[in-house]
Amino acid sequence: MMTMNHMRDISVVICAYTTDRWNDLVAAVKSIHQQTLQPREVIVVIDHNTELLGRAQSVLDGVIVIENREPRGLSGARNSGIAQAKGDIIAFMDEDAIAEPKWLERLSRDYADTHVLGIGGAVEPLWLSGQPGWFPQEFNWVVGCSYQGMPTTTTAVRNPIGCNMSFRRTVFETMGGFRHGIGRVGTRPVGDEETEIGIRTKRYWPNGVILYEPQARVHHRVPAHRANWRYFWSRCYAEGQSKAILSRIAGAKDGLSSERTYTLRTLPLGVMKGIADTLTGRDTQGFTRAIAIVTGLGVTTAGYVVGTVLGWLVNHEATDSSMLPVGDNQSLAADLVQPG
């Protein structure tokens, strides 16, 4: 059993890459300093931005500021934070999120069970320009937040949400860090690196569990430029491509396990509710939300199909030519199917 002292031995890693989010980063760090359960350390990782690195090192108090020592991208930045961290538990939060005061307290309490390998929490959208009436909650993942259909009580899941997650140090010491070539790099709206490590972890420890704890909440800023149809569709398409990469790495069975229930149950219910809201006069935008669900699914599927075909073509061509080692084939395929 984990003792109370170990439960308090938490390192928090926050990754940042742009000076445009400086005020967000300051607010994120402040929210960690205001936790009811104080972490052992707060590590801010700057992703290949010299100006931001110098500013953070000179201004931010009570934190360890380091630079990403790996290739540019969120996976490398998180891995650099892991290498620096000393805590038995390593928690991750985005630089444009704000943690509720009991975030770490609620995120860490289930680690008393030695079968628990990781715990993630809820991510509530903080719409800076107001949530569009057409935007369906079933697609909150588009803006990096918890979505309709996720558990409302503490539940075992395949993987946590990257903006609000934690793992035992043992996981990284045994499994290695987040995989390159699958996560976000700069502003490209791709992801699934937390899904891949969740699958990898469960395969290594089949009796272990990763939990979703909805009471451990952070609030994620959603700027105005993400509250439009163009971003919605681009993010859906990129997610489809990410799933194609993930399916090649982890297999479609595990890579799409959660998505099957979401597609066959959550989305149809969302469409019916949207139509019913309009027909009963409760919400005139309900029908538009239904359209958003249908088109969002279609665009995501298109991204998956294109990503799958491109990945197959690249791997097939590389295999025929025998000019690239296996590792380079995987990296090239990932580069080609990600949006530029």
Side-chain angles (χ1 to χ4, degrees):
M1 297 290 288
M2 181 177 285
T3 66
M4 181 58 69
N5 287 335
H6 283 92
M7 289 175 67
R8 294 177 182 274
D9 193 16
I10 305 171
S11 297
V12 176
V13 175
I14 301 174
C15 302
Y17 72 96
T18 175
T19 55
D20 293 341
R21 293 182 178 177
W22 172 255
N23 291 334
D24 295 346
L25 175 59
V26 172
V29 170
K30 181 179 179 180
S31 74
I32 302 303
H33 288 327
Q34 294 175 340
Q35 292 294 297
T36 56
L37 177 62
Q38 282 294 301
R40 173 174 181 159
E41 59 194 352
V42 180
I43 302 167
V44 174
V45 185
I46 305 301
D47 189 12
H48 296 270
N49 186 321
T50 303
E51 178 186 354
L52 181 58
L53 176 65
R55 188 175 184 182
Q57 288 175 332
S58 62
V59 175
L60 295 179
D61 294 324
V63 303
I64 301 169
V65 180
I66 63 171
E67 60 183 338
N68 177 10
R69 306 182 184 98
E70 296 191 6
R72 181 171 176 259
L74 187 53
S75 290
R78 285 173 174 163
N79 290 343
S80 295
I82 293 167
Q84 176 70 40
K86 302 296 190 296
D88 290 336
I89 299 168
I90 304 176
F92 302 86
M93 189 180 80
D94 286 359
E95 87 275 30
D96 54 352
I98 301 173
E100 292 190 358
K102 292 187 176 182
W103 174 57
L104 286 180
E105 182 181 331
R106 290 168 173 164
L107 194 68
S108 63
R109 59 190 176 191
D110 284 316
Y111 279 111
D113 183 344
T114 56
H115 291 93
V116 175
L117 303 171
I119 302 175
V123 183
E124 302 290 340
L126 184 60
W127 299 89
L128 301 186
S129 59
Q131 180 176 350
W134 59 265
F135 195 102
Q137 291 186 4
E138 290 82 1
F139 276 75
N140 275 359
W141 56 263
V142 165
V143 291
C145 297
S146 301
Y147 52 88
Q148 182 69 33
M150 292 191 69
T152 57
T153 59
T154 306
T155 306
V157 293
R158 179 188 62 187
N159 61 273
I161 300 174
C163 179
N164 179 1
M165 64 179 177
S166 65
F167 288 94
R168 293 187 189 272
R169 163 183 291 283
T170 307
V171 169
F172 301 115
E173 291 176 341
T174 305
M175 304 296 303
F178 292 91
R179 187 180 182 120
H180 291 282
I182 192 172
R184 180 179 288 264
V185 179
T187 59
R188 290 192 300 181
V190 292
D192 279 337
E193 67 278 8
E194 64 274 2
T195 306
E196 190 277 331
I197 202 167
I199 293 172
R200 194 168 10 125
T201 299
K202 280 289 294 173
R203 286 179 175 176
Y204 193 87
W205 287 286
N207 293 325
V209 295
I210 297 173
L211 296 178
Y212 176 70
E213 173 48 75
Q215 295 303 311
R217 289 188 293 265
V218 304
H219 298 265
H220 191 205
R221 288 183 173 85
V222 183
H225 72 268
R226 294 187 178 183
N228 58 61
W229 284 100
R230 182 177 179 180
Y231 183 84
F232 179 81
W233 286 325
S234 68
R235 181 66 183 86
C236 288
Y237 187 78
E239 179 66 15
Q241 293 189 317
S242 296
K243 291 299 181 203
I245 299 172
L246 180 65
S247 294
R248 291 201 304 276
I249 294 171
K253 180 179 179 181
D254 288 335
L256 300 177
S257 59
S258 298
E259 286 72 17
R260 292 188 185 93
T261 301
Y262 170 78
T263 301
L264 297 176
R265 179 175 175 82
T266 302
L267 294 189
L269 289 175
V271 170
M272 290 187 289
K273 182 179 184 303
I275 295 174
D277 285 347
T278 295
L279 293 179
T280 58
R282 287 195 298 265
D283 189 342
T284 57
Q285 296 228 49
F287 187 70
T288 310
R289 286 195 298 278
I291 293 176
I293 291 174
V294 173
T295 59
L297 176 60
V299 172
T300 304
T301 302
Y304 179 80
V305 171
V306 171
T308 300
V309 172
L310 286 177
W312 182 85
L313 289 174
V314 170
N315 286 332
H316 182 70
E317 181 178 336
T319 300
D320 287 345
S321 65
S322 300
M323 295 183 65
L324 291 174
V326 173
D328 288 344
N329 291 347
Q330 293 174 338
S331 177
L332 179 60
D335 288 341
L336 285 177
V337 298
Q338 290 182 12

